[in-house]
Amino acid sequence: MYKILLTGSDGQVGQDLQQTLSPIGEVIATNRQQLDLTSPDNIRQVIQKIQPDIIINSAAYTAVDKAESESDLAFAVNGVAPAIIAEEAKKIGAFLLHISTDYVFDGKKNTPYLETDITHPLGVYGKSKLAGEQGIEKNGDRYVILRTAWVYGTEGKGNFVKTMLRLGQQKEQLGIVSDQVGSPTWSYDIANTISQILTKLNLAETREIYHFTNSGVASWYDLAVAIFEEAKNLGFPLNIKQVNPITTEEYPTPAKRPHYSVLSGKKTANLLGYNAPYWRDSLKEMLIKLSK
Ligand SMILES: NC(=O)c1ccc[n+]([C@@H]2O[C@H](COP(=O)([O-])OP(=O)(O)OC[C@H]3O[C@@H](n4cnc5c(N)ncnc54)[C@H](OP(=O)(O)O)[C@@H]3O)[C@@H](O)[C@H]2O)c1
């Protein structure tokens, strides 16, 4: 059994990890109050005190649009802190599993992004997450950087699925962006995959990037339509009658987002021996869990 230090334990993935990690180790879950990634001293002290075998960094500054005006904070949490965690992990011989994002890419490709593809983030959030990856590669010894995308979960402060359920109750019509595509991914599947990766890999040697999302591709519009169809079947209260596809230009946001955000899951599937669940199946599972 491993001693596992988890950061960001109040987040979507962080909360699900507390469930999926329990069979493989003792989880010391820390939220922002217990381990603040803006404080290098705090990071060092907590790691030195706990002396974990594995550190999982699921904490991040995840407000993609707000990051455009809070660049210093985004870089402190996403860029600087992971490098410090990696340095401390190396000192005590701990393995680091860090979560990163599809937004390290610019979306100009039209086939799924491989772990080896050239990065080119479009906004502050993506740039700060890329800085975190590079800090780990520079300072770290044994680690996995797991890139994922379009995350939603039953826990945490909010996400696209929960926003749609709220708006679908308040409004009869919605316009949703249809020219950005990606793979909607349930946080529980990420958490489960992290536990599987930790049991399959040789933690004594690994320095790798892996991609994991649910399989299949959808636009935000496709996802919204699917949420309303599944939620209606499950009896969620909804007043929505029509969802209209709109373009990114018609819905301007402070941060530029990639138009094509699909990550190849082949390397991870080869490691685990199975393919990621299809996005719509996982969406349904999540909504069932949320409805209980
Ligand atoms: N959400 C997505 O669509 C998405 C897409 C691709 C990749 N990812 C990556 O997946 C990982 C998990 O994301 P998520 O969706 O679970 O995010 P989330 O729900 O926003 O959770 C992030 C957690 O980090 C915590 N945090 C923020 N600033 C902190 C600080 N200074 N010190 C310590 N903790 C801090 C937050 O604390 P509070 O609860 O106190 O705010 C929150 O609990 C992140 O690395 C993220 O970059 C997410």
Side-chain angles (χ1 to χ4, degrees):
M1 291 281 273
Y2 294 116
K3 190 176 190 186
I4 304 171
L5 171 62
L6 172 67
T7 71
S9 62
D10 288 346
Q12 308 189 82
V13 179
Q15 295 216 32
D16 289 340
L17 275 167
Q18 292 172 64
Q19 278 184 43
T20 65
L21 289 172
S22 58
I24 63 166
E26 176 206 355
V27 183
I28 295 126
T30 59
N31 62 17
R32 190 201 291 253
Q33 282 70 43
Q34 292 148 334
L35 202 175
D36 181 356
L37 293 197
T38 61
S39 164
D41 286 347
N42 190 208
I43 298 170
R44 293 187 202 282
Q45 279 161 6
V46 172
I47 295 173
Q48 287 297 336
K49 186 173 162 220
I50 293 175
Q51 297 273 321
D53 304 307
I54 297 172
I55 302 172
I56 302 183
N57 184 30
S58 78
Y61 180 104
T62 54
V64 175
D65 286 317
K66 222 168 148 198
E68 296 298 313
S69 53
E70 287 189 344
S71 173
D72 288 353
L73 181 57
F75 268 89
V77 178
N78 295 343
V80 178
I84 298 169
I85 296 172
E87 198 180 294
E88 291 306 309
K90 188 176 179 176
K91 277 187 204 161
I92 61 165
F95 186 85
L96 170 61
L97 192 141
H98 172 77
I99 308 176
S100 193
T101 173
D102 54 328
Y103 283 10
V104 296
F105 297 115
D106 61 15
K108 303 238 160 80
K109 248 186 119 179
N110 51 21
T111 54
Y113 279 97
L114 302 172
E115 287 80 353
T116 46
D117 278 333
I118 291 172
T119 51
H120 182 226
L122 299 176
V124 169
Y125 168 74
K127 285 177 187 159
S128 69
K129 292 292 291 184
L130 180 60
E133 291 188 6
Q134 290 165 342
I136 291 169
E137 284 164 346
K138 184 162 170 261
N139 288 3
D141 181 17
R142 299 179 296 118
Y143 58 82
V144 160
I145 295 167
L146 185 76
R147 294 191 187 125
T148 187
W150 292 33
V151 183
Y152 62 86
T154 54
E155 311 300 327
K157 283 184 180 151
N159 55 56
F160 186 82
V161 177
K162 288 184 177 177
T163 303
M164 286 304 114
L165 292 174
R166 179 170 44 79
L167 292 177
Q169 216 177 338
Q170 293 165 355
K171 300 187 178 222
E172 293 195 348
Q173 278 206 30
L174 279 173
I176 306 290
V177 170
S178 63
D179 59 358
Q180 289 170 30
V181 297
S183 306
T185 301
W186 186 18
S187 54
Y188 190 83
D189 289 336
I190 301 171
N192 205 21
T193 299
I194 288 174
S195 303
Q196 295 296 321
I197 285 176
L198 291 173
T199 50
K200 294 265 175 172
L201 275 180
N202 178 357
L203 302 188
E205 290 181 353
T206 305
R207 298 166 65 93
E208 295 279 342
I209 298 177
Y210 281 91
H211 287 173
F212 175 80
T213 62
N214 280 132
S215 60
V217 175
S219 67
W220 294 112
Y221 165 81
D222 297 328
L223 176 56
V225 170
I227 292 165
F228 295 136
E229 283 176 5
E230 299 291 354
K232 251 181 204 152
N233 289 340
L234 289 165
F236 280 80
L238 290 172
N239 295 308
I240 191 85
K241 295 202 166 52
Q242 200 177 333
V243 186
N244 302 310
I246 61 169
T247 63
T248 301
E249 275 182 356
E250 289 174 285
Y251 187 74
T253 53
K256 265 180 121 184
R257 288 168 167 76
H259 281 283
Y260 181 85
S261 228
V262 182
L263 300 177
S264 167
K266 276 192 186 151
K267 182 176 170 184
T268 303
N270 284 342
L271 173 73
L272 300 182
Y274 57 85
N275 288 321
Y278 180 54
W279 70 266
R280 190 158 174 148
D281 294 338
S282 287
L283 171 67
K284 194 172 169 184
E285 290 281 314
M286 179 270 191
L287 288 168
I288 290 170
K289 205 168 167 188
L290 199 62
S291 69
K292 281 177 182 162

